[in-house]
Amino acid sequence: MNKKIAVLLAVPATLAMSAGAAFAASAGYFDAALHAVPHDHVADGGSDVTGRATLHLTGRTLDINLSASGLTPNEPHAMHIHGDVQAANECPGIEADTNTGDSIDPGSFVAGTPDGLISLGEGLPDYGPIDVSLTTTGDTSAASGLSLERFLVADATGRIAYHRSVVVPKDIAKNLGNLHIVIHGADLPGDADASSLSSLFEATLPVACGEIDNAGR
Ligand SMILES: [Cu+2]
């Protein structure tokens, strides 16, 4: 992994205890409707990812079911729970696309020329850092954020179905209703290859985002 990216992804999720006690929960059902992250449809080749997640929290154990469709087929898709109290904690709108180009590192953006795509870095102020990596095996911390070999591969029709029970940090459990699920990775039409894996920009491109809501049951 590129060192700059490693640093970017390693930003610790310092979740302060939320003053919003209404959001605090140590058990319950949550869901998230995943909608396509807005992109220019020429720039992203018409990507339209949608999905749904249901989450059941018991203490710090989070049982996650997530299904999504419209993904680049036969390729891995990083998926995470994102968010912190410093971030706006919203899924990004197209106004987040303020920079040109193929950088996921806010330190090397070329400002002022939107390219129709919200990169990983451009979306970060909205959805915040990685809190939980929705890997299939092993570690689920932010450190596994780009361990693509441990994320689900979409099937030939671009669908994924994920189920795993993970133990999350206490602050994540308490603030679950403030956080978001983001799915990444799209092969873009603008380059010669037919894979997202040769480009970190493509492999990390946020393609769907959903705010986690307390399902109230
Ligand atoms: Cu993510």
Side-chain angles (χ1 to χ4, degrees), residues 9 78-82 120 124 127-133 145 151 180-184 204-206 208:
L9 293 172
M79 307 190 293
H80 316 110
I81 296 175
H82 281 254
L120 176 70
L124 274 177
Y127 50 66
I130 296 169
D131 303 315
V132 179
S133 295
F151 285 99
H180 306 79
I181 292 174
V182 181
I183 306 178
H184 302 263
T204 62
L205 193 77

PDB file of all heavy atoms in Angstrom, residues 9 78-82 120 124 127-133 145 151 180-184 204-206 208, ligand 1:
ATOM      1  N   LEU A   9      -5.652   6.287   5.813  1.00  0.00           N
ATOM      2  CA  LEU A   9      -6.632   5.326   6.301  1.00  0.00           C
ATOM      3  C   LEU A   9      -6.429   5.018   7.772  1.00  0.00           C
ATOM      4  O   LEU A   9      -7.317   4.503   8.424  1.00  0.00           O
ATOM      5  CB  LEU A   9      -6.539   4.040   5.486  1.00  0.00           C
ATOM      6  CG  LEU A   9      -6.972   4.198   4.035  1.00  0.00           C
ATOM      7  CD1 LEU A   9      -6.678   2.943   3.263  1.00  0.00           C
ATOM      8  CD2 LEU A   9      -8.446   4.537   3.952  1.00  0.00           C
ATOM      9  N   ALA A  78     -14.227  -2.870  -1.174  1.00  0.00           N
ATOM     10  CA  ALA A  78     -14.041  -2.506   0.227  1.00  0.00           C
ATOM     11  C   ALA A  78     -15.341  -1.919   0.754  1.00  0.00           C
ATOM     12  O   ALA A  78     -16.030  -1.171   0.051  1.00  0.00           O
ATOM     13  CB  ALA A  78     -12.902  -1.495   0.355  1.00  0.00           C
ATOM     14  N   MET A  79     -15.683  -2.289   1.979  1.00  0.00           N
ATOM     15  CA  MET A  79     -16.896  -1.763   2.622  1.00  0.00           C
ATOM     16  C   MET A  79     -16.541  -1.444   4.062  1.00  0.00           C
ATOM     17  O   MET A  79     -15.845  -2.229   4.718  1.00  0.00           O
ATOM     18  CB  MET A  79     -18.010  -2.819   2.641  1.00  0.00           C
ATOM     19  CG  MET A  79     -18.338  -3.430   1.310  1.00  0.00           C
ATOM     20  SD  MET A  79     -19.842  -4.424   1.409  1.00  0.00           S
ATOM     21  CE  MET A  79     -19.306  -5.768   2.467  1.00  0.00           C
ATOM     22  N   HIS A  80     -17.030  -0.320   4.518  1.00  0.00           N
ATOM     23  CA  HIS A  80     -16.701   0.100   5.883  1.00  0.00           C
ATOM     24  C   HIS A  80     -17.874   0.784   6.554  1.00  0.00           C
ATOM     25  O   HIS A  80     -18.728   1.360   5.890  1.00  0.00           O
ATOM     26  CB  HIS A  80     -15.552   1.130   5.880  1.00  0.00           C
ATOM     27  CG  HIS A  80     -14.407   0.802   4.982  1.00  0.00           C
ATOM     28  ND1 HIS A  80     -14.141   1.509   3.838  1.00  0.00           N
ATOM     29  CD2 HIS A  80     -13.470  -0.156   5.065  1.00  0.00           C
ATOM     30  CE1 HIS A  80     -13.080   0.981   3.241  1.00  0.00           C
ATOM     31  NE2 HIS A  80     -12.654  -0.033   3.952  1.00  0.00           N
ATOM     32  N   ILE A  81     -17.825   0.783   7.876  1.00  0.00           N
ATOM     33  CA  ILE A  81     -18.604   1.737   8.660  1.00  0.00           C
ATOM     34  C   ILE A  81     -17.698   2.943   8.867  1.00  0.00           C
ATOM     35  O   ILE A  81     -16.542   2.800   9.285  1.00  0.00           O
ATOM     36  CB  ILE A  81     -19.041   1.137  10.008  1.00  0.00           C
ATOM     37  CG1 ILE A  81     -19.992  -0.044   9.763  1.00  0.00           C
ATOM     38  CG2 ILE A  81     -19.714   2.207  10.869  1.00  0.00           C
ATOM     39  CD1 ILE A  81     -20.399  -0.781  11.031  1.00  0.00           C
ATOM     40  N   HIS A  82     -18.213   4.103   8.519  1.00  0.00           N
ATOM     41  CA  HIS A  82     -17.452   5.351   8.610  1.00  0.00           C
ATOM     42  C   HIS A  82     -18.126   6.314   9.577  1.00  0.00           C
ATOM     43  O   HIS A  82     -19.334   6.259   9.779  1.00  0.00           O
ATOM     44  CB  HIS A  82     -17.459   6.070   7.253  1.00  0.00           C
ATOM     45  CG  HIS A  82     -16.504   5.557   6.229  1.00  0.00           C
ATOM     46  ND1 HIS A  82     -15.355   6.223   5.892  1.00  0.00           N
ATOM     47  CD2 HIS A  82     -16.545   4.467   5.432  1.00  0.00           C
ATOM     48  CE1 HIS A  82     -14.722   5.560   4.920  1.00  0.00           C
ATOM     49  NE2 HIS A  82     -15.428   4.483   4.620  1.00  0.00           N
ATOM     50  N   LEU A 120     -12.295   9.109  -2.771  1.00  0.00           N
ATOM     51  CA  LEU A 120     -12.238   8.730  -1.356  1.00  0.00           C
ATOM     52  C   LEU A 120     -11.931   9.945  -0.490  1.00  0.00           C
ATOM     53  O   LEU A 120     -12.576  10.188   0.515  1.00  0.00           O
ATOM     54  CB  LEU A 120     -11.170   7.653  -1.141  1.00  0.00           C
ATOM     55  CG  LEU A 120     -10.947   7.230   0.313  1.00  0.00           C
ATOM     56  CD1 LEU A 120     -12.130   6.448   0.827  1.00  0.00           C
ATOM     57  CD2 LEU A 120      -9.676   6.412   0.447  1.00  0.00           C
ATOM     58  N   LEU A 124     -14.318  12.131   2.383  1.00  0.00           N
ATOM     59  CA  LEU A 124     -13.966  11.967   3.803  1.00  0.00           C
ATOM     60  C   LEU A 124     -14.545  13.022   4.732  1.00  0.00           C
ATOM     61  O   LEU A 124     -15.002  12.680   5.825  1.00  0.00           O
ATOM     62  CB  LEU A 124     -12.435  11.912   3.972  1.00  0.00           C
ATOM     63  CG  LEU A 124     -11.764  10.554   3.818  1.00  0.00           C
ATOM     64  CD1 LEU A 124     -10.250  10.719   3.948  1.00  0.00           C
ATOM     65  CD2 LEU A 124     -12.261   9.564   4.867  1.00  0.00           C
ATOM     66  N   TYR A 127     -18.233  11.707   5.231  1.00  0.00           N
ATOM     67  CA  TYR A 127     -18.526  10.448   5.905  1.00  0.00           C
ATOM     68  C   TYR A 127     -17.511  10.064   6.964  1.00  0.00           C
ATOM     69  O   TYR A 127     -17.724   9.104   7.704  1.00  0.00           O
ATOM     70  CB  TYR A 127     -18.776   9.297   4.926  1.00  0.00           C
ATOM     71  CG  TYR A 127     -17.766   9.088   3.830  1.00  0.00           C
ATOM     72  CD1 TYR A 127     -16.478   8.693   4.106  1.00  0.00           C
ATOM     73  CD2 TYR A 127     -18.136   9.260   2.507  1.00  0.00           C
ATOM     74  CE1 TYR A 127     -15.573   8.481   3.088  1.00  0.00           C
ATOM     75  CE2 TYR A 127     -17.236   9.042   1.484  1.00  0.00           C
ATOM     76  CZ  TYR A 127     -15.947   8.658   1.776  1.00  0.00           C
ATOM     77  OH  TYR A 127     -15.065   8.461   0.774  1.00  0.00           O
ATOM     78  N   GLY A 128     -16.410  10.840   7.058  1.00  0.00           N
ATOM     79  CA  GLY A 128     -15.473  10.603   8.141  1.00  0.00           C
ATOM     80  C   GLY A 128     -14.597   9.387   7.910  1.00  0.00           C
ATOM     81  O   GLY A 128     -14.699   8.707   6.893  1.00  0.00           O
ATOM     82  N   PRO A 129     -13.715   9.096   8.868  1.00  0.00           N
ATOM     83  CA  PRO A 129     -12.761   8.006   8.716  1.00  0.00           C
ATOM     84  C   PRO A 129     -13.416   6.630   8.873  1.00  0.00           C
ATOM     85  O   PRO A 129     -14.563   6.518   9.279  1.00  0.00           O
ATOM     86  CB  PRO A 129     -11.762   8.254   9.849  1.00  0.00           C
ATOM     87  CG  PRO A 129     -12.573   8.942  10.893  1.00  0.00           C
ATOM     88  CD  PRO A 129     -13.569   9.797  10.146  1.00  0.00           C
ATOM     89  N   ILE A 130     -12.633   5.618   8.545  1.00  0.00           N
ATOM     90  CA  ILE A 130     -13.104   4.241   8.694  1.00  0.00           C
ATOM     91  C   ILE A 130     -13.132   3.863  10.172  1.00  0.00           C
ATOM     92  O   ILE A 130     -12.158   4.068  10.892  1.00  0.00           O
ATOM     93  CB  ILE A 130     -12.164   3.278   7.934  1.00  0.00           C
ATOM     94  CG1 ILE A 130     -12.191   3.560   6.438  1.00  0.00           C
ATOM     95  CG2 ILE A 130     -12.544   1.822   8.231  1.00  0.00           C
ATOM     96  CD1 ILE A 130     -11.096   2.830   5.664  1.00  0.00           C
ATOM     97  N   ASP A 131     -14.254   3.313  10.606  1.00  0.00           N
ATOM     98  CA  ASP A 131     -14.365   2.789  11.967  1.00  0.00           C
ATOM     99  C   ASP A 131     -14.276   1.268  11.990  1.00  0.00           C
ATOM    100  O   ASP A 131     -13.661   0.692  12.877  1.00  0.00           O
ATOM    101  CB  ASP A 131     -15.713   3.185  12.578  1.00  0.00           C
ATOM    102  CG  ASP A 131     -15.911   4.688  12.587  1.00  0.00           C
ATOM    103  OD1 ASP A 131     -14.977   5.405  12.960  1.00  0.00           O
ATOM    104  OD2 ASP A 131     -17.009   5.127  12.202  1.00  0.00           O
ATOM    105  N   VAL A 132     -14.956   0.635  11.052  1.00  0.00           N
ATOM    106  CA  VAL A 132     -15.014  -0.828  10.996  1.00  0.00           C
ATOM    107  C   VAL A 132     -14.867  -1.237   9.542  1.00  0.00           C
ATOM    108  O   VAL A 132     -15.516  -0.668   8.659  1.00  0.00           O
ATOM    109  CB  VAL A 132     -16.371  -1.353  11.528  1.00  0.00           C
ATOM    110  CG1 VAL A 132     -16.433  -2.881  11.450  1.00  0.00           C
ATOM    111  CG2 VAL A 132     -16.621  -0.881  12.959  1.00  0.00           C
ATOM    112  N   SER A 133     -14.002  -2.217   9.285  1.00  0.00           N
ATOM    113  CA  SER A 133     -13.850  -2.750   7.932  1.00  0.00           C
ATOM    114  C   SER A 133     -14.698  -4.013   7.825  1.00  0.00           C
ATOM    115  O   SER A 133     -14.533  -4.951   8.611  1.00  0.00           O
ATOM    116  CB  SER A 133     -12.378  -3.086   7.657  1.00  0.00           C
ATOM    117  OG  SER A 133     -11.602  -1.902   7.669  1.00  0.00           O
ATOM    118  N   GLY A 145      -8.668  -1.519   6.191  1.00  0.00           N
ATOM    119  CA  GLY A 145      -9.519  -0.751   5.286  1.00  0.00           C
ATOM    120  C   GLY A 145      -9.322  -1.044   3.815  1.00  0.00           C
ATOM    121  O   GLY A 145     -10.271  -0.978   3.037  1.00  0.00           O
ATOM    122  N   PHE A 151     -12.101  -8.624   1.283  1.00  0.00           N
ATOM    123  CA  PHE A 151     -13.454  -8.100   1.077  1.00  0.00           C
ATOM    124  C   PHE A 151     -14.182  -8.971   0.055  1.00  0.00           C
ATOM    125  O   PHE A 151     -13.555  -9.682  -0.743  1.00  0.00           O
ATOM    126  CB  PHE A 151     -13.404  -6.646   0.597  1.00  0.00           C
ATOM    127  CG  PHE A 151     -13.051  -5.669   1.688  1.00  0.00           C
ATOM    128  CD1 PHE A 151     -11.749  -5.200   1.826  1.00  0.00           C
ATOM    129  CD2 PHE A 151     -14.016  -5.226   2.590  1.00  0.00           C
ATOM    130  CE1 PHE A 151     -11.419  -4.307   2.839  1.00  0.00           C
ATOM    131  CE2 PHE A 151     -13.694  -4.333   3.610  1.00  0.00           C
ATOM    132  CZ  PHE A 151     -12.390  -3.867   3.729  1.00  0.00           C
ATOM    133  N   HIS A 180     -22.187   5.602   9.229  1.00  0.00           N
ATOM    134  CA  HIS A 180     -22.546   5.368   7.829  1.00  0.00           C
ATOM    135  C   HIS A 180     -21.869   4.127   7.312  1.00  0.00           C
ATOM    136  O   HIS A 180     -20.814   3.751   7.806  1.00  0.00           O
ATOM    137  CB  HIS A 180     -22.067   6.544   6.964  1.00  0.00           C
ATOM    138  CG  HIS A 180     -22.569   7.829   7.486  1.00  0.00           C
ATOM    139  ND1 HIS A 180     -21.989   8.456   8.545  1.00  0.00           N
ATOM    140  CD2 HIS A 180     -23.657   8.528   7.157  1.00  0.00           C
ATOM    141  CE1 HIS A 180     -22.706   9.514   8.844  1.00  0.00           C
ATOM    142  NE2 HIS A 180     -23.720   9.585   8.017  1.00  0.00           N
ATOM    143  N   ILE A 181     -22.461   3.541   6.312  1.00  0.00           N
ATOM    144  CA  ILE A 181     -21.804   2.448   5.599  1.00  0.00           C
ATOM    145  C   ILE A 181     -21.451   2.958   4.209  1.00  0.00           C
ATOM    146  O   ILE A 181     -22.284   3.592   3.547  1.00  0.00           O
ATOM    147  CB  ILE A 181     -22.728   1.218   5.511  1.00  0.00           C
ATOM    148  CG1 ILE A 181     -22.927   0.633   6.916  1.00  0.00           C
ATOM    149  CG2 ILE A 181     -22.131   0.166   4.564  1.00  0.00           C
ATOM    150  CD1 ILE A 181     -23.936  -0.497   6.984  1.00  0.00           C
ATOM    151  N   VAL A 182     -20.214   2.699   3.802  1.00  0.00           N
ATOM    152  CA  VAL A 182     -19.768   3.116   2.476  1.00  0.00           C
ATOM    153  C   VAL A 182     -19.195   1.895   1.749  1.00  0.00           C
ATOM    154  O   VAL A 182     -18.423   1.131   2.328  1.00  0.00           O
ATOM    155  CB  VAL A 182     -18.690   4.229   2.551  1.00  0.00           C
ATOM    156  CG1 VAL A 182     -18.272   4.665   1.144  1.00  0.00           C
ATOM    157  CG2 VAL A 182     -19.201   5.432   3.338  1.00  0.00           C
ATOM    158  N   ILE A 183     -19.609   1.722   0.504  1.00  0.00           N
ATOM    159  CA  ILE A 183     -19.044   0.681  -0.371  1.00  0.00           C
ATOM    160  C   ILE A 183     -18.178   1.378  -1.416  1.00  0.00           C
ATOM    161  O   ILE A 183     -18.574   2.416  -1.955  1.00  0.00           O
ATOM    162  CB  ILE A 183     -20.143  -0.137  -1.076  1.00  0.00           C
ATOM    163  CG1 ILE A 183     -21.132  -0.713  -0.063  1.00  0.00           C
ATOM    164  CG2 ILE A 183     -19.522  -1.266  -1.907  1.00  0.00           C
ATOM    165  CD1 ILE A 183     -22.277  -1.503  -0.706  1.00  0.00           C
ATOM    166  N   HIS A 184     -17.037   0.772  -1.687  1.00  0.00           N
ATOM    167  CA  HIS A 184     -16.062   1.387  -2.590  1.00  0.00           C
ATOM    168  C   HIS A 184     -15.770   0.492  -3.795  1.00  0.00           C
ATOM    169  O   HIS A 184     -15.979  -0.711  -3.755  1.00  0.00           O
ATOM    170  CB  HIS A 184     -14.725   1.604  -1.866  1.00  0.00           C
ATOM    171  CG  HIS A 184     -14.815   2.448  -0.635  1.00  0.00           C
ATOM    172  ND1 HIS A 184     -14.539   3.786  -0.618  1.00  0.00           N
ATOM    173  CD2 HIS A 184     -15.148   2.125   0.648  1.00  0.00           C
ATOM    174  CE1 HIS A 184     -14.688   4.266   0.611  1.00  0.00           C
ATOM    175  NE2 HIS A 184     -15.058   3.274   1.398  1.00  0.00           N
ATOM    176  N   THR A 204     -10.802   2.590  -4.531  1.00  0.00           N
ATOM    177  CA  THR A 204     -11.324   3.227  -3.317  1.00  0.00           C
ATOM    178  C   THR A 204     -12.491   4.165  -3.605  1.00  0.00           C
ATOM    179  O   THR A 204     -13.051   4.750  -2.673  1.00  0.00           O
ATOM    180  CB  THR A 204     -10.231   4.060  -2.612  1.00  0.00           C
ATOM    181  OG1 THR A 204      -9.800   5.106  -3.488  1.00  0.00           O
ATOM    182  CG2 THR A 204      -9.052   3.200  -2.205  1.00  0.00           C
ATOM    183  N   LEU A 205     -12.851   4.327  -4.857  1.00  0.00           N
ATOM    184  CA  LEU A 205     -13.928   5.268  -5.199  1.00  0.00           C
ATOM    185  C   LEU A 205     -15.199   4.907  -4.425  1.00  0.00           C
ATOM    186  O   LEU A 205     -15.691   3.780  -4.515  1.00  0.00           O
ATOM    187  CB  LEU A 205     -14.204   5.213  -6.699  1.00  0.00           C
ATOM    188  CG  LEU A 205     -15.080   6.350  -7.244  1.00  0.00           C
ATOM    189  CD1 LEU A 205     -14.264   7.638  -7.371  1.00  0.00           C
ATOM    190  CD2 LEU A 205     -15.670   5.970  -8.593  1.00  0.00           C
ATOM    191  N   PRO A 206     -15.742   5.833  -3.640  1.00  0.00           N
ATOM    192  CA  PRO A 206     -16.990   5.518  -2.946  1.00  0.00           C
ATOM    193  C   PRO A 206     -18.144   5.435  -3.940  1.00  0.00           C
ATOM    194  O   PRO A 206     -18.380   6.369  -4.696  1.00  0.00           O
ATOM    195  CB  PRO A 206     -17.171   6.686  -1.970  1.00  0.00           C
ATOM    196  CG  PRO A 206     -16.327   7.797  -2.500  1.00  0.00           C
ATOM    197  CD  PRO A 206     -15.236   7.178  -3.317  1.00  0.00           C
ATOM    198  N   ALA A 208     -21.378   3.729  -3.046  1.00  0.00           N
ATOM    199  CA  ALA A 208     -22.677   3.737  -2.375  1.00  0.00           C
ATOM    200  C   ALA A 208     -22.468   4.108  -0.913  1.00  0.00           C
ATOM    201  O   ALA A 208     -21.432   3.792  -0.322  1.00  0.00           O
ATOM    202  CB  ALA A 208     -23.370   2.386  -2.469  1.00  0.00           C
TER     203      ALA A 208
HETATM  204 CU    CU B   1     -14.965   3.146   3.326  1.00  0.00          CU
END
